[in-house]
Amino acid sequence: MRNIENPSLTTRISLQERQVIDKELPMPYLSQFQSEALKQEIQASHERCRRHGVDPFTTRNIRQFHLTPEELAGRRENNREFLDIATAHIQEIYSFVAGAGFAVLIVDSEGFILDMIGDAPISNKIAAGNCTPGYRWTEKDVGTSAISLVIERQIPVQINDDDHFCKRGHGHTCSASPVFDDQNSFIGVIVMSGEVERVHPHTLGMVITAAKAIQNQLRITKTSQELLLRNSYMNAIIESIDSGVMAIDRDGSIAQINNQGRKILKWDKEIVGMPLAQLLESKEQYKAIVDSESGFTDREVFIKGSRRILHLMTTAKPILDPVGKIHGTIFLFHEMNRIRRLVNNMAGSQARFTFEDILGVSPAIQDAKKLAMLAAAGKSNVLLLGETGTGKELFAQSIHNQSSRKLWPFVTINCGAIPRELLESELFGYVEGAFTGAKKGGRPGKLELADGGTVFLDEIGDMPADMQVKLLRVLQLGEVYRVGQHKPISVDLRVIAASHSDLKDEVDRGNFREDLFYRLNVLPIHIPPLRERMADVPLLGKHILRRCREAMNKHAVRFSGDAEKVLLCHNWPGNIRELENVIERAVNLVDGTVIEPRHFGALSSAGRRIPFADTKTARLEDVERQAIVEAIKGKGFNMVSAAKSLGICRATLYKKINKYNIRVDRHSV
């Protein structure tokens, strides 16, 4: 222990010396300190007072610095935390000495008295010497006193009778102790004052004990405030998480849940305090969550919501004490729909096209668009019928993007491209161990991933008969069974199916289930082939050319007049897809800026060409006239069939017959 019998008389005591005095010294040693070192401290203080010019005979310094009531109120507010805690402690001290002629004071770090409590006689007596709230008590103001010496040296002291430099203190004994905050910064003084004959040797010990209690309370308060702040931060973080967060106590009951978790579970009654087992479907799930010492990550769990069974993706982390004993569990969960949307967004399972992307002015395509727009406004299943390459998926995406499901997934399944043995797991998913090679943890199917959105079943006519039965059950019940699982998963789907073949003929042949056909054929839409909408070929050709020019950085390339006529001569058995291929090939081959007929190569010999006597001089009107004549002749002079093949209505056909002066009897044609 450091020797403190001869401390410096000109500098403040060090932190180590203060700790020895304030925390380590027993009362007998404090008495020894007072009788030896304190005398030197008092003598040094008297010497400083003489240098300051303090009048030792004064009983009241009329020039003593003091605060106005407003300034005192402001200083008290600035020291509010210290003052509130210290006030409670000096009241407790005073309760022991009440009526014995004592006053207890609280002083701030600059020497201003903030508050006092005491017996009336002593309070009035010391107030006459300016010892009252608002006055400053430093050595320059009042000479040597318990308050001024503590402020100067920051050590506990007891000043008796004529140890006071000024006459005003004679006949009194004052015991004072410094108070430090949690950073060991000096913040104030606790003082007990009384007449000399009433002071006990243990008075200073009482004051020191009170100062220590205040310091401890300040530290506790600071720690509590920090804990509250950290708790507020944690609550803010938990509430900002876009996931359900649930705290489970050691008894398996729900101790806390964030607002997002409440929204997901949708429980009408209070869920805090409810046993977790009441929400889970199986004891195995409960044990995995509550009793696991390692927890788990990203596991599917079924929980009982207030209205239905919820399919969740969950993570559980145990709360362990220092010895590894489980004291609870943090349980995080997301709705599977949210996970599916994220997966679909990352995997590109979104519809990109809208009705604005469906180009064409022909009546046939306009009628199909109108019917598709009506379908988009409803909720019924849609059946798209049309040849390969007519744009069935373009229509399907447009319907989805104009429907109420546009913010949800759009999942495409080509029933004719997936091998039969893989189709079931692709559609419905599977659980772990369902078959050899099944992925650990299982995998959801595409029907499940499309929950809330639209599933586009392309080439539905190629779906095997056994898959048709399972698909029909999904449409009827809204439930999906993964391969190897006996528990249904609820799904909310809108189905848009497409086929290049006549499904009614397939039903008649026994290749397609009649009940599934009627489930899908609620809103059938016929998408016309390109040969029935030849008026759209120039528009489509220019659009495709513009797209190819940008992709190949050939911005000046254009069609020659002869090239446009050649495009109009072909009947496009491959429809728009063939048109795209022909134009893309031509842009690749052209070495200048003009696409000529030779750049198209040999257009498909399977396509019927419209004959022209002289393609170099033929006009668009000639092409349209000959197309009408060929259609009428090809349909055996049946005007309804001819109009349908041209993609126009019968009234429009008669208008064009009149325009071009076409005679419709067999002889004239």
Side-chain angles (χ1 to χ4, degrees), residues 569-587:
C569 291
H570 191 59
N571 71 338
W572 304 107
N575 295 296
I576 298 174
R577 190 171 296 136
E578 182 186 4
L579 179 63
E580 290 175 335
N581 292 341
V582 167
I583 294 175
E584 183 177 350
R585 179 179 182 275
V587 175

Side-chain angles (χ1 to χ4, degrees), residues 70 72 195 197 208 230 234 288 326 406 450 473 526 561 623:
E70 293 77 14
L72 175 60
E195 295 180 352
E197 62 272 11
I208 293 173
R230 290 179 184 177
M234 290 303 299
I326 298 177
K406 61 184 178 181
R473 184 170 57 192
H526 175 75
V623 174

Side-chain angles (χ1 to χ4, degrees), residues 351-381:
R352 297 180 293 111
F353 298 110
T354 66
F355 285 113
E356 294 180 357
D357 297 307
I358 301 176
L359 305 179
V361 295
S362 66
I365 197 66
Q366 289 295 322
D367 289 344
K369 282 179 65 174
K370 289 177 184 178
L371 187 55
M373 289 179 181
L374 291 175
K379 299 180 180 180
S380 301
N381 296 328

Side-chain angles (χ1 to χ4, degrees), residues 133-431:
Y135 280 88
R136 187 179 66 185
W137 275 59
T138 64
E139 288 182 343
K140 292 181 181 180
D141 296 306
V142 298
T144 303
S145 70
I147 297 174
S148 63
L149 189 52
V150 170
I151 291 171
E152 182 68 27
R153 299 288 290 136
Q154 297 180 13
I155 57 174
V157 297
Q158 190 173 70
I159 303 296
N160 294 305
D161 196 16
D162 57 0
D163 288 338
H164 294 90
F165 184 76
C166 294
K167 187 177 179 181
R168 80 172 81 186
H170 295 177
H172 293 85
T173 296
C174 297
S175 303
S177 179
V179 179
F180 303 92
D181 64 13
D182 62 310
Q183 301 297 321
N184 281 317
S185 298
F186 174 61
I187 60 172
V189 185
I190 300 299
V191 186
M192 181 182 287
S193 179
E195 295 180 352
V196 173
E197 62 272 11
R198 296 180 181 274
V199 175
H200 191 277
H202 290 288
T203 303
L204 179 58
M206 293 177 60
V207 174
I208 293 173
T209 301
K212 287 185 177 181
I214 293 169
Q215 289 176 186
N216 291 335
Q217 186 64 42
L218 284 169
R219 292 186 177 96
I220 292 171
T221 301
K222 181 68 176 296
T223 302
S224 298
Q225 290 173 346
E226 290 176 351
L227 288 174
L228 288 173
L229 182 60
R230 290 179 184 177
N231 188 51
S232 297
Y233 273 117
M234 290 303 299
N235 284 334
I237 291 171
I238 290 172
E239 289 299 338
S240 67
I241 295 174
D242 191 22
S243 307
V245 181
M246 185 187 296
I248 313 298
D249 63 24
R250 67 174 69 189
D251 297 323
S253 297
I254 300 171
Q256 190 175 353
I257 185 171
N258 67 346
N259 288 328
Q260 181 65 18
R262 294 177 188 272
K263 291 179 182 178
I264 293 174
L265 298 181
K266 297 182 177 68
W267 273 89
D268 298 328
K269 58 184 180 180
E270 179 55 51
I271 196 171
V272 173
M274 181 185 297
L276 179 63
Q278 190 172 330
L279 299 179
L280 299 174
E281 284 205 315
S282 68
K283 294 181 180 179
E284 290 75 15
Q285 288 183 345
Y286 175 82
K287 187 174 182 181
I289 295 171
V290 176
D291 296 338
S292 174
E293 294 184 359
S294 58
F296 56 79
T297 302
D298 294 340
R299 180 177 296 180
E300 291 181 77
V301 170
F302 291 88
I303 280 187
K304 300 173 186 176
S306 59
R307 299 177 182 86
R308 63 187 179 93
I309 299 296
L310 300 174
H311 189 189
L312 306 178
M313 180 65 75
T314 64
T315 296
K317 297 296 181 183
I319 303 172
L320 305 177
D321 63 12
V323 298
K325 185 178 179 181
I326 298 177
H327 279 256
T329 305
I330 296 297
F331 186 58
L332 290 85
F333 52 95
H334 309 270
E335 284 187 282
M336 281 299 295
N337 283 343
R338 181 176 180 273
I339 305 298
R340 290 164 186 157
R341 289 199 301 271
L342 178 62
V343 170
N344 285 320
N345 290 339
M346 295 183 68
S349 299
Q350 297 173 297
R352 297 180 293 111
F353 298 110
T354 66
F355 285 113
E356 294 180 357
D357 297 307
I358 301 176
L359 305 179
V361 295
S362 66
I365 197 66
Q366 289 295 322
D367 289 344
K369 282 179 65 174
K370 289 177 184 178
L371 187 55
M373 289 179 181
L374 291 175
K379 299 180 180 180
S380 301
N381 296 328
V382 178
L383 181 60
L384 301 175
L385 299 171
E387 297 177 6
T388 299
T390 53
K392 295 187 288 296
E393 184 166 357
L394 183 63
F395 269 81
Q397 291 192 22
S398 300
I399 292 171
H400 173 81
N401 275 333
Q402 195 160 311
S403 73
S404 59
R405 297 172 179 261
K406 61 184 178 181
L407 299 179
W408 295 81
F410 177 85
V411 177
T412 299
I413 303 171
N414 191 320
C415 302
I418 302 173
R420 177 190 181 94
E421 58 274 11
L422 298 179
L423 183 59
E424 182 176 11
S425 62
E426 193 73 16
L427 285 173
F428 302 100
Y430 56 83
V431 297

